[in-house]
Amino acid sequence: MTSWFYDLAESVLDGHAITEEQALRLLTADDDDLVSLVDAGARIRRRHFGMTVKVNYLVDLKSGLCPENCSYCSQALGSQAPILKYSWLKTDEAVKQANTGIDGGASRVCLVASGRGPGNRDIDRVTDIVTQLKDDHPEVEVCACLGLLKDGQAETLRNAGVDAYNHNINTAESFHDTIVTSHTYSDRTATIAKSKAAGLSPCSGLIVGLGESSEQIVEALFALKDLDSASIPINFLVPFDGTTMEGQWNLTPTQCVKIVAMARFVCPDREIRLAGGREIHLRSLPAMALHLANSIFLGDYLTAEGQAAEEDLALIRDNGFTIIGQVDTPTTAATPTLRRRGAGTQQTANA
């Protein structure tokens, strides 16, 4: 199997697309072969992205109070998850929050608002934020994520300076109606098409761990490839208490790495982003995943806390990567802590 990974990687590097059968074989590889799989996938990553990482930062413009019934979402209709709930941030506050991420190294800011989709007044709110952000940071990419778009709204966002639009398909079409019924899979793909037609870079990804099969994960990745998603966030389900999927822990760290590896083989030149839930599900394996993905969210997510930004940046630098748009700085060594417990003391050992 090990040599097959490398042969398949060489085929991809020669410009050949893999099949769904080959993708499924990657996804269901034995854990014993994980290091070889990552090494083969990392060759593809380095060809297209070198050792660079794009850092992204989320600003939650409006939280909770959503009328959609997405069963995985802590903001959805019927969710009892004890999350922050608030209406639209004022422009100055939104810009302040975005600047926090930019100061931390983000080269893309993602402006997100819960809800089925924006009204024209909501679009005006976002364009005000974008105008100020672009005035202060013309080099920073702005991605909007506002739900289902109506005709003309994508063009308005593009004219205001928005670079990309995120609208995740979340899962395979064959599994979609299992997780939400208040909108359809085609509603989602129509919004992706509208954003692309308006000149916005299409950003669309998935959530894994919803109870879908391996075959459906493959189906979703090939759909994203066909949709020409330029940026593919891979989210790992966080089954909040109070949601329909409370208690559904369906993923292992090695399985998560295999999903990222398969995505790299299927979409070799696309931005693959480690997104929500990565700290919880990858656990001790984030470095392996980063040798496959080339993009990461910094700090917190919409309703879940991420790890400290300093830890994210250390993860990137400690593994030999450089952050896009940032001057590389040496990592500061930690100060050793003297042992004051265990043998020779009255304190309990650190074991």
Side-chain angles (χ1 to χ4, degrees):
M1 175 70 89
T2 296
S3 62
W4 181 76
F5 296 148
Y6 295 113
D7 291 343
L8 190 61
E10 287 302 314
S11 176
V12 171
L13 291 171
D14 287 339
H16 303 292
I18 72 169
T19 65
E20 292 191 23
E21 290 75 19
Q22 289 170 324
L24 183 61
R25 189 177 174 188
L26 292 170
L27 191 57
T28 56
D30 290 339
D31 286 351
D32 290 350
D33 295 324
L34 186 66
V35 172
S36 297
L37 171 58
V38 171
D39 185 35
R43 296 184 182 193
I44 302 171
R45 182 224 196 277
R46 290 194 297 271
R47 168 72 65 84
H48 293 285
F49 301 100
M51 293 294 285
T52 62
V53 175
K54 178 185 280 188
V55 173
N56 308 261
Y57 189 74
L58 283 167
V59 178
D60 195 1
L61 301 177
K62 174 176 173 283
S63 183
L65 313 173
C66 183
E68 302 299 287
N69 66 356
C70 307
S71 57
Y72 53 84
C73 185
S74 58
Q75 303 185 70
L77 180 69
S79 169
Q80 299 299 311
I83 61 169
L84 285 171
K85 296 179 181 179
Y86 53 87
S87 192
W88 287 87
L89 296 180
K90 294 185 181 300
T91 298
D92 289 347
E93 177 62 21
V95 172
K96 177 183 176 182
Q97 293 295 327
N99 283 333
T100 300
I102 294 168
D103 292 344
S107 58
R108 175 180 277 197
V109 172
C110 304
L111 304 175
V112 187
S114 63
R116 180 176 178 84
N120 290 335
R121 184 182 176 191
D122 301 327
I123 294 291
D124 291 341
R125 289 188 176 104
V126 175
T127 59
D128 287 345
I129 297 167
V130 174
T131 299
Q132 191 166 326
L133 270 178
K134 287 290 189 175
D135 285 345
D136 296 340
H137 305 283
E139 76 287 355
V140 170
E141 296 178 0
V142 176
C143 179
C145 177
L146 312 172
L148 302 173
L149 292 176
K150 303 179 182 67
D151 290 345
Q153 290 182 329
E155 288 78 6
T156 301
L157 292 171
R158 183 73 183 99
N159 291 337
V162 174
D163 300 285
Y165 195 81
N166 168 261
H167 198 62
N168 296 328
I169 61 169
N170 289 328
T171 193
E173 183 175 11
S174 64
F175 193 68
H176 182 271
D177 292 352
T178 305
I179 62 170
V180 58
T181 58
S182 54
H183 58 262
T184 65
Y185 181 85
S186 61
D187 287 334
R188 289 189 168 270
T189 57
T191 283
I192 297 166
K194 285 177 181 177
S195 63
K196 183 180 176 183
L200 296 169
S201 177
C203 173
S204 186
L206 70 163
I207 306 171
V208 294
L210 301 169
E212 72 286 341
S213 66
S214 294
E215 289 82 359
Q216 286 167 326
I217 297 174
V218 171
E219 179 189 341
L221 255 300
F222 274 81
L224 290 168
K225 178 183 178 183
D226 292 342
L227 287 166
D228 201 28
S229 181
S231 177
I232 301 174
I234 299 178
N235 296 278
F236 308 93
L237 175 67
V238 179
F240 283 99
D241 289 350
T243 66
T244 304
M245 293 194 173
E246 173 182 338
Q248 289 199 32
W249 299 97
N250 300 317
L251 299 168
T252 65
T254 54
Q255 183 184 7
C256 292
V257 173
K258 291 175 201 174
I259 291 168
V260 180
M262 187 266 288
R264 176 55 66 205
F265 274 84
V266 174
C267 302
D269 59 349
R270 312 289 175 85
E271 179 182 337
I272 305 294
R273 184 179 310 142
L274 300 179
R278 62 178 171 87
E279 301 90 347
I280 297 171
H281 290 285
L282 285 169
R283 298 212 287 270
S284 62
L285 302 183
M288 295 186 79
L290 202 55
H291 280 277
L292 298 162
N294 64 295
S295 181
I296 196 169
F297 275 117
L298 181 75
D300 297 333
Y301 302 99
L302 297 178
T303 61
E305 285 193 3
Q307 66 184 15
E310 304 85 56
E311 294 180 42
D312 289 332
L313 299 176
L315 167 69
I316 294 168
R317 294 187 173 115
D318 288 354
N319 284 279
F321 296 102
T322 57
I323 299 169
I324 291 175
Q326 297 293 305
V327 176
D328 193 30
T329 56
T331 302
T332 303
T335 303
T337 301
L338 293 173
R339 182 171 70 82
R340 301 292 184 188
R341 55 190 173 188
T345 79
Q346 298 300 310
Q347 302 300 315
T348 303
N350 184 23

